């Protein structure tokens, strides 16, 4: 990428361009009243649609939360010269872009393929907003607000979602493959992956608590199930639907205790070896995060507060603002 730019831009012009790009990104901030004049009903439209979707299928709450996470956590940096870089992706709805004949998006990345869902709900919300306030509300803001509403719909905490994000015109398959933590991640791998995005270990544990809702495919936890120390009663029930081979897409709840309630049962499960994924159980495996798991297990209010604060921080990862990006009229494709 550096070579393609060096052939067309002299260093002084490039430096000026880069400065204008970066200062343009920094000049506009997310605010609470961004749509107060242009689309005052945007939040009620999103909330109504999310509540309806979650009422029809409780699992959709986890799916919408995960969509936002998989959008924000993917951040591709283009290194133009050794001392500068530009961040292309973050909370910018890049995850929603469909592949085309000339473009490959993030939907087919390993962590997303045959796994991410909820796109239809986002389409519905976008369509409704385009009717009432055309080309105003970004897909990135829809994802951020929908994630919060989904958690609330399942009994979890609320948090303030500042808005004003704009939508990316590109995506990064390679970044999606490399940035998102794997279900086989070690504790050190998890800490590093989240640290790379600016999160400390405490925030990583809090965000992992999102696995108190949702489900995972057999293929993501089979190795743990047949090769690691899993609570015997849980192992017995899981093996009935997830054999040592085959049935890769059979689903099991990440939190076997209360899979459709956003609570702190996930952490209690970890204390008795009931973490479904290897990466889940790593949070309580004799390592540095055991104490934080114990705290959240015994104090649901502390978990709720820390989770909400971490979500605010995550939703602010590298958003496009000001004149950068665009407001897509269709979340699946650029204008």
């Amino acid at each position: 990428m550096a070579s393609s730019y060096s052939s067309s831009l002299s260093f002084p012009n490039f430096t000026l361009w880069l400065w204008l790009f970066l200062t343009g990104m920094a000049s506009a901030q997310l605010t609470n009243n961004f749509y107060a004049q242009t689309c005052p009903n945007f939040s009620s439209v999103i909330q109504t649609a999310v509540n309806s979707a979650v009422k029809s299928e409780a699992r959709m709450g986890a799916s919408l939360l995960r969509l936002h996470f998989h959008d924000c956590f993917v951040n591709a940096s283009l290194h133009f010269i050794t001392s500068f870089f530009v961040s292309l992706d973050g909370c910018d709805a890049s995850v929603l872009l469909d592949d085309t004949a000339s473009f490959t998006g993030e939907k087919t990345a390993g962590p997303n393929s045959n796994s991410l869902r909820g796109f239809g709900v986002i389409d519905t919300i976008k369509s409704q907003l385009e009717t009432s306030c055309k080309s105003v509300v970004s897909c990135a803001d829809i994802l951020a607000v929908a994630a919060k509403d989904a958690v609330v719909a399942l009994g979890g905490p609320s948090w303030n979602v500042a808005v004003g994000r704009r939508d990316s015109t590109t995506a990064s398959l390679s970044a999606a493959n490399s940035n998102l933590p794997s279900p086989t991640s070690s504790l050190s791998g998890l800490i590093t992956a989240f640290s790379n995005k600016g999160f400390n270990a405490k925030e990583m544990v809090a965000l992992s608590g999102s696995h108190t809702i949702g489900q995972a495919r057999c293929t993501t936890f089979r190795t743990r199930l047949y090769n690691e120390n899993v609570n015997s009663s849980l192992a017995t029930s899981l093996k009935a639907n997830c054999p040592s081979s085959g049935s890769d897409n059979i689903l099991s709840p990440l939190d076997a205790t209360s899979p459709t309630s956003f609570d702190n049962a996930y952490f209690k499960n970890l204390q008795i070896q009931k973490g479904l994924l290897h990466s889940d159980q790593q949070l309580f495996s004799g390592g540095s995060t055991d104490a934080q798991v114990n705290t959240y297990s015994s104090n649901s209010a502390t978990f709720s507060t820390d989770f909400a604060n971490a979500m605010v921080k995550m939703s602010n990862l590298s958003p496009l603002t000001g004149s950068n990006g665009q407001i897509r009229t269709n979340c699946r494709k650029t204008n």
Side-chain angles (χ1 to χ4, degrees):
M1 198 66 169
S3 60
S4 65
Y5 275 86
S6 62
S7 62
S8 58
L9 290 175
S10 67
F11 183 81
N13 287 339
F14 169 76
T15 303
L16 175 62
W17 174 88
L18 183 62
W19 179 82
L20 289 172
F21 185 93
L22 294 175
T23 53
M25 289 184 69
S27 64
Q29 300 297 319
L30 304 181
T31 64
N32 295 326
N33 60 354
F34 188 84
Y35 298 117
Q37 301 301 320
T38 56
C39 195
N41 68 330
F42 89 98
S43 60
S44 62
V45 169
I46 297 174
Q47 183 180 51
T48 299
V50 169
N51 287 345
S52 176
V54 174
K55 184 177 181 180
S56 297
E57 181 194 13
R59 182 189 172 204
M60 187 56 67
S63 298
L64 293 172
L65 175 59
R66 187 164 180 254
L67 258 184
H68 180 45
F69 172 76
H70 280 228
D71 181 39
C72 293
F73 223 69
V74 174
N75 187 283
S77 298
L78 290 184
H79 293 263
F80 293 102
I81 52 178
T82 56
S83 57
F84 294 97
F85 70 90
V86 176
S87 236
L88 289 183
D89 301 304
C91 299
D92 60 3
S94 59
V95 73
L96 301 178
L97 290 171
D98 284 341
D99 293 352
T100 68
S102 59
F103 170 82
T104 301
E106 298 168 10
K107 290 181 177 180
T108 55
N112 297 337
S113 182
N114 299 315
S115 177
L116 277 190
R117 56 198 301 274
F119 299 107
V121 177
I122 302 301
D123 291 339
T124 296
I125 294 171
K126 182 60 174 174
S127 177
Q128 292 173 351
L129 288 172
E130 285 296 299
T131 298
S132 58
C133 36
K134 187 173 179 60
S135 301
V136 171
V137 181
S138 69
C139 301
D141 277 343
I142 293 172
L143 283 175
V145 176
K148 180 262 297 180
D149 289 340
V151 170
V152 172
L154 294 176
S158 184
W159 58 89
N160 178 58
V161 181
V163 290
R165 297 166 190 80
R166 289 170 66 83
D167 299 324
S168 172
T169 57
T170 187
S172 175
L173 178 67
S174 61
N177 277 319
S178 62
N179 289 185
L180 293 163
S182 163
T184 60
S185 293
S186 65
L187 178 58
S188 62
L190 290 170
I191 291 174
T192 296
F194 279 81
S195 176
N196 287 340
K197 305 301 176 185
F199 295 100
N200 59 35
K202 177 181 176 181
E203 292 167 329
M204 180 270 289
V205 176
L207 289 172
S208 296
S210 62
H211 284 185
T212 188
I213 54 176
Q215 302 182 61
R217 294 178 296 156
C218 170
T219 187
T220 63
F221 61 84
R222 175 184 285 117
T223 298
R224 165 163 164 71
L225 179 59
Y226 288 94
N227 296 280
E228 299 178 18
N229 180 23
V230 181
N231 178 280
S232 59
S233 62
L234 177 64
T236 298
S237 64
L238 290 176
K239 288 178 180 178
N241 294 314
C242 182
S244 56
S245 63
S247 302
D248 285 0
N249 294 319
I250 297 296
L251 298 170
S252 291
L254 288 158
D255 170 3
T257 303
S258 51
T260 59
S261 295
F262 198 97
D263 53 29
N264 66 336
Y266 167 81
F267 298 104
K268 296 179 180 180
N269 288 339
L270 297 183
Q271 293 176 314
I272 53 175
Q273 299 297 315
K274 283 190 173 182
L276 183 67
L277 306 177
H278 175 81
S279 56
D280 289 328
Q281 196 59 57
Q282 283 289 288
L283 301 183
F284 194 83
S285 56
S288 59
T289 55
D290 282 14
Q292 198 60 49
V293 170
N294 288 333
T295 296
Y296 291 153
S297 174
S298 61
N299 195 322
S300 60
T302 298
F303 163 56
S304 292
T305 297
D306 288 354
F307 179 82
N309 289 337
M311 284 299 298
V312 169
K313 184 173 179 178
M314 190 186 79
S315 69
N316 292 332
L317 286 176
S318 305
L320 295 172
T321 57
S323 59
N324 295 293
Q326 62 181 212
I327 304 299
R328 290 191 223 134
T329 57
N330 181 335
C331 290
R332 293 175 177 266
K333 62 182 182 180
T334 59
N335 295 341

